[in-house]
Every structure is written in structure tokens, then in C-alpha cells.
Amino acid sequence: RSLSDPIDTTTPQGMFSLQVLGAVAQLERALISERTKAGIKAAKAKGKLPGNPGIRERRPEALAKMTAAQKAAYGARIQANASQWLPTVRRLRPDHTWDDIARFLKSRGLDWTPERLRRAVKWLVAEGMADKDLLRKSPPRPPEDRLMTLAAGIHSSNPDLTLREIASQLERLHERTPRGGTKWSPSSVKNLIDRARRSGLLTVSDH
């Protein structure tokens, strides 16, 4: 929540306002990039060195400004699309590992690595926009839980898939069954999806 602005990211309207601000920031960065490229081209034509003299000379004040600008740009990128992935993280952390959640998000078309996802959540926590409990260490989980997350992700990405089709996808991914086999049966997939619903990984809307 912002005390001086009408922004509260705990509400849909507040998150939307934040996304609009992020989109504006992205547009401004794109325009700045275009102007910078044009300026560099003109400077080179005159025989001048491009870039910030302070950065080239490693001046502390210039480096500090550059670092601050990079952090601000990173924060804007994170906030611009947080509504697409943060609710899933809040639902699954810390019961599920970063690797599991990244795999689950990727099955929904969101390209995250565990490292990038954890870094993004860490930034949100530092800014007071997410609960610090999201960063708690996950408890040890058996291999079956990773399979459960994977099967749930495949199902969520396309709820119309049959159990047999999900089994075929698991086989193409060379995933072994909980018993170590290479052939998946629809009943094994159903067990994983049922467990995912009981654990909250899948909701009623994911049927």
C-alpha cells in the first residue's frame, strides 16, 4: 500500500493501477532507447566516444546513479506482470520448491527459472509488497510431489486434455512413474491430479 497515493496492491484495482504505471515506464524506456541510439550514431559520426563519461571513468557518483536506475527499471518490470504469477506463488509457497513453481508457471506459458522467480519475490518482499514467509525454506518433499506439480501444470495449461493425453506428455518428457516405470497409465495421472486438488495446487475452476 502507498500512504501518499491511491494504490493498494491487495485489491484488483490497485494492482491494475500499478500495472498501468509499469506499462508507462516500459514505453518511456523504449523511447529513451531509441533517442539514445540516435544520439550515439550522431556522436560516432563526429568522432566522439558514446556513453556517459562518468561511467567510462568509473566515477562513484555516476556508478551509483546507474545502479539506482537499473534497480528502478527492474522493479517496474516485476510490477508490470506480477498479477500473472504472484497469486500462484502465494498459493504454493513455501510448501512447494521454486523449481516446482517455475515448472508449473512455465506450463502456463510464463517463462521463469527458479533463480529469477526467487529474485523477483525477494524484491517484492523487500519493497513490502509480498509476505516474507514466501521466502522460507521449503520442507523436504518426495519425488512424487514434483510429479504431482508437473501433472497439475499440464492439466491447468489445457483442462480439455484427457488422462491418457497427459500420460503421453509425461512419457514424452521421459518422466518416470512413482514406481520407476516408463509407461504412464491414466489411473496414475488421476492419482496425481486428485492429490494436487487436495493440496490446493489445483482449484475447482481447474476441473
Side-chain angles (χ1 to χ4, degrees), residues 175-186:
E175 293 288 348
R176 291 189 171 271
T177 68
R179 294 188 177 184
T182 58
K183 296 296 182 181
W184 282 83
S185 67

Side-chain angles (χ1 to χ4, degrees), residues 9 15 85-93 129-131 134:
T9 58
M15 183 60 77
W85 53 269
L86 186 56
T88 299
V89 173
R90 283 174 170 155
R91 181 155 55 97
L92 300 182
R93 285 291 301 165
M129 299 172 63
D131 195 314
L134 297 179

Side-chain angles (χ1 to χ4, degrees), residues 80-127:
N81 62 10
S83 64
Q84 298 176 9
W85 53 269
L86 186 56
T88 299
V89 173
R90 283 174 170 155
R91 181 155 55 97
L92 300 182
R93 285 291 301 165
D95 293 332
H96 295 269
T97 66
W98 295 108
D99 186 68
D100 284 345
I101 298 174
R103 185 189 290 256
F104 181 73
L105 291 172
K106 194 168 186 177
S107 73
R108 292 192 167 189
L110 301 175
D111 189 17
W112 285 96
T113 64
E115 295 76 17
R116 286 177 50 236
L117 185 60
R118 187 178 184 280
R119 181 188 174 204
V121 173
K122 190 174 182 180
W123 186 90
L124 290 171
V125 170
E127 294 296 316

Side-chain angles (χ1 to χ4, degrees), residues 91-93 95-96 141 144-145 148-149 152 191-203:
R91 181 155 55 97
L92 300 182
R93 285 291 301 165
D95 293 332
H96 295 269
R141 303 184 71 83
E144 289 84 350
D145 282 4
M148 176 186 70
T149 302
N191 288 336
L192 292 176
I193 291 177
D194 287 345
R195 283 185 54 210
R197 289 197 176 103
R198 290 195 297 269
S199 69
L201 194 60
L202 289 173
T203 61

Side-chain angles (χ1 to χ4, degrees), residues 36 40 43 48-56:
T36 300
I40 290 174
K48 296 180 179 180
L49 291 174
N52 188 324
I55 299 299
R56 288 201 307 270

